[in-house]
Amino acid sequence: MAGPRVVIIGAGVVGAALADEISARGWTEVTVVDQGPLPATGGSSSHAPGLVFQTNSSKTMTELARYTVEKFCSLDVDGQPCFLQVGGLEVATTPERVAELHRRHGWITAWGIEARLLSAEECIEQHPLVNPDKVLGGLLVPTDGLAKAVLAVEAQIRRATERGVRFLARHEVLDVQQSEGRVTAVLTDQGEIPADIVVCCAGIWGPKIARMVGMNLPLTPLGHQLAWTGPVPALAGQTEEAVRPILRHQDADLYYRDRFDTLGIGYYGHRPMPVSADDILSVDEADAMPSVLKFTEDDFEDAWTETQFLLPATKEAKVEEGINGLFSFTTDGLPLLGESPDVKGFWVAEAVWVTHSAGVGRAVAEWLVDGYCSSFDLHECDVNRFEPHQLAPEYVLARDCQNFVEVYDILHPLQPSGDPRPIRASPFHARQQELGAFFLEANGWERPQWYEANAGLVEGRSIPTPNDWAARYWSPIVGAEAQATRETVAMYDMTALKRLEVAGPGAAAFLERLSTGKVDKSVGSVTYTLLLDEDGGIRSDVTVARLARDLFQVGANGNLDLDWFTRHLPAWGHLPAVAGGGSVHVRDITPGTCCIGLWGPLARKVLQPLTDADFSNDGLKYFRAKRAHIGSVPVTAMRLSYVGELGWELYTTADLGQKLWDTLWQAAQPLGGIIAGRGAFNSLRLEKGYRSFGTDMTYEHDPYEAGVGFAVKLDKGDFIGKAALERRKADVRRRLTCLTIDDPQSVVMGKEPVYDGDRPVGYVTSAAYGYTIGKGIAYAWLPAELATPGTAVHIGYFDQRVEAVVAEEPLFDPSMSRLRG
């Protein structure tokens, strides 16, 4: 036996996959427990209809699904295949859905999986039961198909068992024991199992297990209707289980699969049916299995009516059986993976459907064994990504139910979230409302996209109107605000930016160890730097301001940065004691503070008369910080700008935020200053070539590929990821590349495929119209050989090919004279 003692709770598709993957990597002192029998344990895996559609707007989710398909295709149980690769067909019955299928085709192509758009006639050829008068077109992914979930569980159990993994059926978990903040054992109704690591793969029971260590999972089990017809005469004589593609009719929230001469019908169009994990029956109490609730026929009436319209052959059949099966939903529709922030050794792999199960098994196995995941970018799936309000029961229930309702909806990238809202508001919120702010949400914050008060700025300006899709949640005011920022001065609400305080005698050494840049500099220095994984992948980009000898303020990207810092504190044991032997404290100061970005060529004329502090170029140089008073408000001023103009980020406490706003606004108005929103900000930052973590670069990219190698100081002391970077620096095969688009109507939105001729070669990350340069801008990942200025490419945008050309960056002010003036 090798490796630490691991106990996996749950032997469904996720637990079985993890046991297989982790044992294949040499950890064999592994025990898997489940309250049910094996291999059909009674959880969601046991009743899952098995449809695997790989198309997803998330690259990570598509890649997890692709691995699952590849693995399941290689598995069998005594000659019975674990995957029936019949293909996946999505059909459109409205013009809006036809357009959406073009967008989905773009995603799947961008992520490197073969797919074809079909005419209505071709859809009928693929699935002859479909009504030719109903369908307008379709999307076919040949590698999609049907996962035989219980067989896949059994196959992976057999493989893991051969390596020494123990599987214990009929073991109910009563407690996860811990000592001094670390797991020590799992207590079951049949005894105690010692453990160094516990992984919760309990599915719909996940919240109940996680609470045993004080962890709150934002997961809700919801009932989902699955019905089976009796024999369909048109399918009489079908001896193979499935011969037609699995079918999705998303306009009506429906999907279908063969089962010999019958059809399975899944339905998401009914009312949400949430269930508490505490109320799910035990294996022995349940009539069929705990994850199966009684079928509610009234909720299925519309589904059956629509089914007979889409598949007329079903008029000769009846619905003979059905269930309301429980599946896990989360607040953002993504899995929950990773280690508890409070209890070492307690991990979760939750809210994972069959479609992504084997991929998640591999990802978590790599993460456990190697300390990071090399095969997938997991930043979207990390369980520690949530802000505290996103774990509130009211919020979790509302958003989980909303995600159920919207599971097949056409969602715009900027579409606002639903209730509960508003949740977080900056101290400037009342003033923004007075100015007619159009709010979108960012991590719970109400963040203005533009201000109706600036409508008059549009007159006399050339602000092109984008295409219909890009024009949603857009106004020409966005362009006017962007241009006015470059002409005069603008105030931007930057409160939604995550702010961390790192303090203590060991703070400088701690930050030096975690970041790629030199941050142990003079008081007042501000450093743009990166956080890396051990393999050199970018975990985040941050700014670090040294405000005192032992006090730093970090401009971060979200809660994952706070989690990364916290779990690398010396007390967690991940790092050796920091140089100097001092303590380090990390604190999220975002809720108690606020920030205004004051930017534009007249910014100094606004600010300097309001303070006795010297804000001249010599008094506060670019990328320096100082404490000062603006009027009666104490601020921390940092001279940096993500819009590429002279100016400062001005921080103060939340109680003084409105006073700071009023003081600056009163001084800015006589100079023609404006208030501007996030729409203008995004355009301006792309003109300047500034990257956005999570969109332009993620864990899968290194600094040299992403164009931020300047933030890496290999000549300083050791830091996490340094050894990997020294290997990767000379082998850059792809680059984040700036593209420009001449046609102002052809503004793209992000995640579209990029083509070299007919060959898909990459994908778009961020995009916007550049109102200063008069061109569309799209950043994209491309092979290094295509990232040469002047190279012509095409972007796939719905049913169009948009001409684009690789451009030298930055597009605006390459000499940096406006920033440094």
Side-chain angles (χ1 to χ4, degrees):
M1 306 291 280
R5 297 170 299 177
V6 178
V7 176
I8 298 171
I9 301 173
V13 282
V14 181
L18 176 57
D20 180 34
E21 296 283 345
I22 202 171
S23 61
R25 285 162 176 77
W27 282 16
T28 54
E29 196 166 345
V30 178
T31 302
V32 184
V33 299
D34 200 292
Q35 63 182 341
L38 299 177
T41 62
S44 300
S45 303
S46 301
H47 74 258
L51 288 81
V52 175
F53 290 94
Q54 298 167 86
T55 308
N56 198 291
S57 62
S58 164
K59 182 172 183 283
T60 296
M61 296 300 281
T62 292
E63 290 177 340
L64 291 170
R66 172 166 45 195
Y67 181 79
T68 301
V69 167
E70 292 170 353
K71 183 176 183 180
F72 281 12
C73 282
S74 72
L75 298 177
D76 71 90
V77 175
D78 301 331
Q80 299 180 74
C82 294
F83 195 80
L84 306 178
Q85 201 158 43
V86 293
L89 175 63
E90 301 182 35
V91 294
T93 59
T94 63
E96 293 78 12
R97 186 65 65 175
V98 171
E100 173 70 355
L101 291 188
H102 278 92
R103 188 166 71 121
R104 295 175 66 79
H105 178 257
W107 295 339
I108 198 75
T109 302
W111 312 148
I113 294 179
E114 177 193 355
R116 288 191 292 124
L117 288 161
L118 304 183
S119 66
E121 294 74 20
E122 290 172 320
C123 291
I124 309 309
E125 291 175 7
Q126 292 289 329
H127 203 299
L129 297 188
V130 170
N131 184 348
D133 297 327
K134 177 80 169 173
V135 173
L136 302 179
L139 172 65
L140 178 70
V141 179
T143 53
D144 287 348
L146 282 168
K148 309 288 288 181
V150 175
L151 280 180
V153 168
E154 184 173 357
Q156 292 174 103
I157 286 176
R158 289 185 181 186
R159 285 159 49 124
T161 301
E162 290 174 358
R163 302 187 191 105
V165 174
R166 289 194 306 161
F167 285 83
L168 303 178
R170 295 285 185 173
H171 280 61
E172 182 182 357
V173 173
L174 304 178
D175 193 19
V176 177
Q177 298 181 337
Q178 53 183 299
S179 176
E180 298 180 352
R182 173 184 285 277
V183 297
T184 59
V186 171
L187 180 64
T188 77
D189 58 354
Q190 298 193 42
E192 182 180 289
I193 306 170
D196 303 305
I197 293 172
V198 175
V199 187
C200 178
C201 304
I204 53 178
W205 291 278
K208 183 177 180 180
I209 300 297
R211 280 201 307 272
M212 295 176 182
V213 296
M215 190 176 184
N216 188 2
L217 286 186
L219 181 160
T220 303
L222 280 110
H224 160 57
Q225 291 199 301
L226 175 66
W228 295 95
T229 70
V232 179
L235 303 181
Q238 181 173 317
T239 57
E240 295 180 59
E241 180 177 350
V243 297
R244 278 163 288 277
I246 54 175
L247 179 66
R248 267 207 285 213
H249 175 25
Q250 298 191 79
D251 284 320
D253 297 303
L254 286 160
Y255 63 79
Y256 305 92
R257 57 151 295 179
D258 288 11
R259 189 176 68 178
F260 301 103
D261 63 347
T262 69
L263 288 176
I265 307 168
Y267 186 43
Y268 287 105
H270 55 79
R271 61 190 169 87
M273 304 175 187
V275 176
S276 169
D278 297 312
D279 294 335
I280 301 172
L281 296 177
S282 69
V283 173
D284 293 328
E285 292 173 323
D287 291 335
M289 61 181 75
S291 62
V292 169
L293 306 181
K294 183 180 179 181
F295 188 59
T296 51
E297 295 182 5
D298 290 348
D299 291 302
F300 197 71
E301 285 182 2
D302 290 345
W304 183 234
T305 299
E306 181 65 26
T307 294
Q308 293 175 83
F309 190 27
L310 180 73
L311 307 174
T314 58
K315 294 178 180 178
E316 301 180 61
K318 295 181 179 180
V319 174
E320 291 200 350
E321 56 180 309
I323 63 170
N324 289 357
L326 294 178
F327 289 102
S328 300
F329 281 78
T330 62
T331 56
D332 57 8
L334 294 164
L336 309 173
L337 312 178
E339 188 178 18
S340 161
D342 302 312
V343 180
K344 284 194 68 175
F346 184 82
W347 290 67
V348 299
E350 288 290 347
V352 181
W353 293 3
V354 173
T355 298
H356 309 102
S357 58
V360 166
R362 177 175 181 174
V364 176
E366 289 180 355
W367 199 349
L368 286 166
V369 175
D370 302 330
Y372 59 90
C373 177
S374 59
S375 296
F376 309 97
D377 163 35
L378 296 181
H379 87 275
E380 294 177 315
C381 305
D382 194 314
V383 70
N384 296 295
R385 64 189 180 270
F386 300 102
E387 296 290 327
H389 74 273
Q390 294 172 317
L391 300 176
E394 178 188 42
Y395 179 96
V396 171
L397 179 61
R399 289 292 172 90
D400 289 358
C401 289
Q402 178 184 339
N403 278 324
F404 177 89
V405 170
E406 294 179 345
V407 70
Y408 279 175
D409 285 1
I410 298 172
L411 300 177
H412 191 274
L414 296 179
Q415 187 162 321
S417 301
D419 291 334
R421 188 179 173 217
I423 297 176
R424 309 174 85 180
S426 79
F428 323 131
H429 189 253
R431 297 291 188 258
Q432 293 165 344
Q433 287 179 309
E434 293 168 1
L435 293 167
F438 180 85
F439 291 102
L440 297 180
E441 185 186 19
N443 289 326
W445 292 99
E446 293 296 311
R447 186 166 67 184
Q449 193 75 356
W450 68 82
Y451 294 86
E452 288 296 331
N454 292 326
L457 288 174
V458 176
E459 187 175 350
R461 298 179 182 273
S462 176
I463 309 294
T465 300
N467 56 78
D468 290 346
W469 183 251
R472 297 188 188 184
Y473 310 106
W474 175 88
S475 166
I477 298 171
V478 168
E481 290 178 355
Q483 291 178 356
T485 301
R486 300 235 187 269
E487 296 163 359
T488 56
V489 61
M491 291 166 53
Y492 288 81
D493 181 0
M494 302 299 291
T495 301
L497 174 72
K498 190 81 162 178
R499 293 173 290 286
L500 308 178
E501 180 183 274
V502 181
F510 172 77
L511 289 168
E512 283 285 316
R513 175 76 176 110
L514 264 66
S515 66
T516 63
K518 183 69 174 173
V519 299
D520 190 2
K521 299 186 291 191
S522 62
V523 172
S525 64
V526 182
T527 306
Y528 174 80
T529 186
L530 308 172
L531 310 178
L532 305 181
D533 246 325
E534 290 288 354
D535 67 344
I538 301 170
R539 289 197 64 95
S540 190
D541 64 336
V542 299
T543 54
V544 179
R546 191 169 202 170
L547 304 182
R549 173 182 167 81
D550 298 331
L551 177 65
F552 295 81
Q553 181 173 311
V554 177
N557 282 299
N559 212 59
L560 287 180
D561 293 341
L562 173 61
D563 178 70
W564 185 252
F565 280 175
T566 302
R567 70 177 63 248
H568 282 89
L569 288 170
W572 262 83
H574 288 281
L575 287 179
V578 293
S583 60
V584 185
H585 305 283
V586 177
R587 186 166 65 99
D588 183 1
I589 61 172
T590 312
T593 57
C594 58
C595 178
I596 295 174
L598 181 70
W599 296 312
L602 302 185
R604 188 174 281 121
K605 290 185 177 181
V606 172
L607 192 65
Q608 189 60 76
L610 301 175
T611 179
D612 293 334
D614 184 0
F615 277 88
S616 69
N617 199 35
D618 291 332
L620 187 62
K621 294 183 181 295
Y622 186 53
F623 263 75
R624 297 288 297 180
K626 68 167 28 172
R627 298 268 176 74
H629 283 85
I630 306 302
S632 58
V633 180
V635 303
T636 297
M638 299 185 195
R639 190 175 165 193
L640 58 157
S641 164
Y642 282 93
V643 301
E645 294 290 340
L646 168 69
W648 301 268
E649 291 180 358
L650 302 171
Y651 298 88
T652 192
T653 52
D655 59 321
L656 293 169
Q658 186 168 295
K659 181 61 176 176
L660 177 62
W661 178 280
D662 291 344
T663 301
L664 292 171
W665 185 224
Q666 184 177 0
Q669 284 179 285
L671 297 173
I674 66 164
I675 311 296
R678 188 68 178 185
F681 177 93
N682 195 50
S683 171
L684 296 170
R685 72 109 179 157
L686 286 179
E687 288 184 334
K688 196 60 185 165
Y690 292 141
R691 277 66 168 144
S692 174
F693 177 79
T695 302
D696 298 316
M697 53 192 186
T698 66
Y699 295 2
E700 66 177 305
H701 306 116
D702 72 43
Y704 306 111
E705 298 171 330
V708 289
F710 64 88
V712 177
K713 308 302 179 187
L714 289 175
D715 58 350
K716 75 165 202 168
D718 194 25
F719 57 85
I720 294 175
K722 181 178 181 180
L725 284 192
E726 289 172 334
R727 296 190 300 269
R728 295 175 69 157
K729 184 177 182 180
D731 188 26
V732 176
R733 301 182 184 183
R734 58 183 175 179
R735 292 190 184 278
L736 183 60
T737 308
C738 179
L739 306 176
T740 58
I741 302 165
D742 287 336
D743 181 2
Q745 289 286 310
S746 298
V747 174
V748 300
M749 298 292 292
K751 301 187 178 181
E752 296 89 357
V754 180
Y755 295 88
D756 176 28
D758 291 329
R759 178 174 64 106
V761 292
Y763 59 92
V764 173
T765 57
S766 294
Y769 190 78
Y771 297 100
T772 309
I773 66 167
K775 292 177 182 287
I777 307 168
Y779 272 78
W781 281 100
L782 296 180
E785 63 271 17
L786 293 178
T788 303
T791 302
V793 295
H794 290 86
I795 300 171
Y797 186 64
F798 290 90
D799 59 348
Q800 305 169 24
R801 289 291 185 91
V802 175
E803 295 182 357
V805 63
V806 176
E808 194 80 49
E809 59 173 329
L811 299 170
F812 177 78
D813 189 27
S815 68
M816 304 282 282
S817 59
R818 295 173 74 102
L819 277 168
R820 299 179 184 276

